Amino acid sequence: MTKYIGPEAIIEKKRAYIMPCLNHFYEKPMQIVRGSMQYLYDSTGKQYLDCFAGVSVINCGHCNSEITDKICEQVKTLQHVCNIYLTENFANLAEELAKITPGDLQKAFFCSTGTEANEGAALLASIYTKNSEFICLRNGLHGRTKLTMSMTGISMWRTDPNPVGGIHFAPNPYCYRCPLGKKYPDCDFACANAIEDVIKTNTSGNVAAFIAEPIQGNAGIITPPQGYFKRVKEILDQYNILMIIDEVQTGFARTGKMFAIENFDVVPDIMTIAKALGNGTPISAFIASAKIANTYTRPGASTLGGNPVSSTAALATLEYIQRHDLLTKAKLRGKQLKNGLKKLQEKYAMIGDIRGIGLMVGAEFIHADKSPNSQAVDRILEAMKDRGFIIGKNGVERNVLAFQPPLIITEEDINNMLNELDDVLNTLKK
């Protein structure tokens, strides 16, 4: 029987050897040692239903044998030579991505993280347009490097004391707490129209691109209304500004479409992907039309980008998503989850808003005066963990329960989670 050092010993090692910027969930955390499809197991053998999927990574389930068997076979054959040498997997993966990405997106550059993909997309936009300014959305999250952190509109993640200049922020489409005090649909997309004001008044007119997540994950599953991105694209096209869509958290069937931007009938100029592409294996990419991509001609490579193992994992992941029709599963289970949460919202006034698409759903918790209730979220997370359910949290005030489970989650799983959540909320109310 395997012996584990346990949560307390891990925390002690973290204090000694890990930079303090990395925190962990829970007042009483567990040591996770094993995963199997929608379930995780701790060092005591306790089972947990994973409703967060490693922050929207494990779309196909933990240690899915249809994927991991191919990874293991590849590991024993060829692990790495760098992509300056010819291997087949990464070329085949680029071809598959060209088939499934929206519109005329065709050529990919592989790297290892979402941050790298967003940084690379920004570079490509600057190369193509010969401009250097960017427009981002408030409450967006795009990475941890100097540039992508500067593009991030959440103060808790902007730890760089000297952010990059030339980056401008527009109001995000947060209908529940509209930053402009409007009400949809009477607002006439005021938050989108504000982008034009930013272009005219905040920039020098030399804007390379606008970057946004189709659904702002870390901001609290902020979901734009239909028509928002169309209006944004009209404005950008008027000023010859590229649209970069950050699908790092939303891609690969999460919303019932292969990519979340497809729910809004807009084709971006550049798109970034990561997380679920490798189902737990580090791989990312930025993808553009041939017209834009072909301007990136000076030498560029990523040592581990598109390596044989990660490319194998990604190909197997795409195959699994399509063979098992995870798009339909995400739609069906997402509808079930959202309806169940709305029923709980009718019972508990502390649930202020339910939003999201497919299996990317957020429940925002509030006090009686509608102010954010992060304390309730922390108590709920702890109680649900003790009952064997792992749920995420996000939002600028960390007052949003985030439901982003593996897409293979079952109807029974969701019913069990909702029943336990109902019981926990009832306990909190007393």
Side-chain angles (χ1 to χ4, degrees):
M1 183 176 177
T2 305
K3 290 185 177 181
Y4 303 102
I5 64 174
E8 293 180 2
I10 293 174
I11 291 172
E12 284 301 312
K13 285 179 183 274
K14 281 186 68 178
R15 287 195 186 110
Y17 304 113
I18 303 293
M19 292 188 186
C21 58
L22 180 63
N23 211 326
H24 54 261
F25 274 11
Y26 305 123
E27 182 180 337
K28 296 180 180 178
M30 62 290 201
Q31 178 186 354
I32 298 172
V33 300
R34 185 167 67 88
S36 178
M37 297 306 277
Q38 67 266 49
Y39 300 109
L40 290 168
Y41 300 83
D42 70 14
S43 54
T44 71
K46 183 175 179 177
Q47 175 182 282
Y48 302 84
L49 177 66
D50 184 3
C51 297
F52 204 31
V55 194
S56 210
V57 170
I58 308 294
N59 284 14
C60 299
H62 295 277
C63 302
N64 185 323
S65 61
E66 292 188 39
I67 298 171
T68 56
D69 287 354
K70 293 177 181 177
I71 293 172
C72 291
E73 183 180 340
Q74 181 62 53
V75 165
K76 289 184 282 188
T77 305
L78 178 67
Q79 285 182 266
H80 174 73
V81 292
C82 185
N83 55 19
I84 59 174
Y85 299 97
L86 295 184
T87 58
E88 185 173 331
N89 288 348
F90 91 110
N92 289 342
L93 177 58
E95 182 181 25
E96 287 303 310
L97 288 172
K99 292 177 183 176
I100 64 173
T101 47
D104 60 353
L105 299 179
Q106 179 184 343
K107 294 195 173 186
F109 184 106
F110 291 110
C111 28
S112 299
T113 68
T115 294
E116 285 181 88
N118 286 330
E119 184 101 20
L123 172 63
L124 177 60
S126 291
I127 291 170
Y128 176 76
T129 64
K130 298 180 174 59
N131 292 330
S132 59
E133 293 184 89
F134 294 90
I135 297 173
C136 312
L137 291 182
R138 296 175 194 168
N139 299 355
L141 177 64
H142 300 293
R144 53 174 171 70
T145 55
K146 191 171 183 70
L147 176 59
T148 57
M149 184 180 287
S150 298
M151 289 176 155
T152 290
I154 302 176
S155 61
M156 69 174 285
W157 296 116
R158 289 173 62 86
T159 56
D160 183 353
N162 298 292
V164 175
I167 295 171
H168 313 278
F169 290 88
N172 62 329
Y174 189 178
C175 292
Y176 183 65
R177 298 183 187 275
C178 178
L180 300 176
K182 305 284 187 178
K183 291 286 185 183
Y184 177 79
D186 300 328
C187 62
D188 190 34
F189 300 113
C191 57
N193 295 333
I195 293 170
E196 186 165 22
D197 293 333
V198 171
I199 296 169
K200 288 180 176 179
T201 63
N202 292 21
T203 78
S204 66
N206 299 309
V207 181
F210 162 88
I211 185 170
E213 304 153 274
I215 298 174
Q216 290 184 316
N218 205 267
I221 319 294
I222 304 302
T223 309
Q226 282 296 328
Y228 168 80
F229 276 112
K230 283 191 173 182
R231 178 69 62 85
V232 171
K233 192 71 168 70
E234 289 171 1
I235 294 168
L236 298 178
D237 287 346
Q238 182 182 343
Y239 291 90
N240 297 313
I241 297 171
L242 300 182
M243 175 183 275
I244 301 172
I245 290 297
D246 175 349
E247 290 271 2
V248 168
Q249 199 170 142
T250 52
F252 302 103
R254 169 65 51 195
T255 64
K257 300 280 189 181
M258 188 60 81
F259 301 99
I261 195 62
E262 294 177 281
N263 292 285
F264 301 98
D265 297 319
V266 167
V267 176
D269 298 294
I270 306 173
M271 193 169 76
T272 62
I273 55 176
K275 287 187 181 282
L277 172 59
N279 200 56
T281 301
I283 185 169
S284 65
F286 54 99
I287 306 171
S289 65
K291 178 182 178 182
I292 295 172
N294 286 345
T295 62
Y296 192 176
T297 58
R298 295 187 65 180
S302 170
T303 301
L304 295 172
N307 69 78
V309 177
S310 293
S311 296
T312 295
L315 284 166
T317 297
L318 294 180
E319 183 181 350
Y320 187 90
I321 289 171
Q322 293 166 331
R323 184 192 305 133
H324 295 272
D325 194 10
L326 295 194
L327 283 83
T328 298
K329 285 184 170 66
K331 289 176 186 175
L332 292 175
R333 299 285 71 80
K335 183 177 180 181
Q336 177 196 358
L337 173 61
K338 205 169 184 181
N339 287 342
L341 289 171
K342 284 183 175 180
K343 288 180 181 178
L344 293 180
Q345 184 183 22
E346 293 170 2
K347 291 178 63 176
Y348 304 104
M350 70 176 74
I351 303 178
D353 192 34
I354 304 295
R355 53 184 176 255
I357 304 174
L359 277 173
M360 187 170 185
V361 181
E364 179 163 351
F365 281 73
I366 59 172
H367 293 290
D369 63 355
K370 199 182 171 181
S371 61
N373 190 347
S374 56
Q375 297 86 358
V377 166
D378 285 340
R379 292 171 66 188
I380 292 164
L381 285 182
E382 201 79 30
M384 289 297 286
K385 178 261 297 178
D386 292 342
R387 292 169 181 240
F389 298 87
I390 295 175
I391 301 172
K393 72 171 176 179
N394 52 34
V396 174
E397 301 293 336
R398 320 315 282 170
N399 67 311
V400 179
L401 286 183
F403 299 89
Q404 296 165 269
L407 307 184
I408 46 84
I409 196 168
T410 68
E411 180 179 6
E412 182 182 12
D413 289 330
I414 291 177
N415 284 335
N416 289 339
M417 185 276 295
L418 290 169
N419 288 336
E420 293 293 335
L421 182 58
D422 188 3
D423 195 44
V424 167
L425 293 175
N426 189 52
T427 303
L428 285 182
K429 190 175 72 170
K430 293 177 181 177

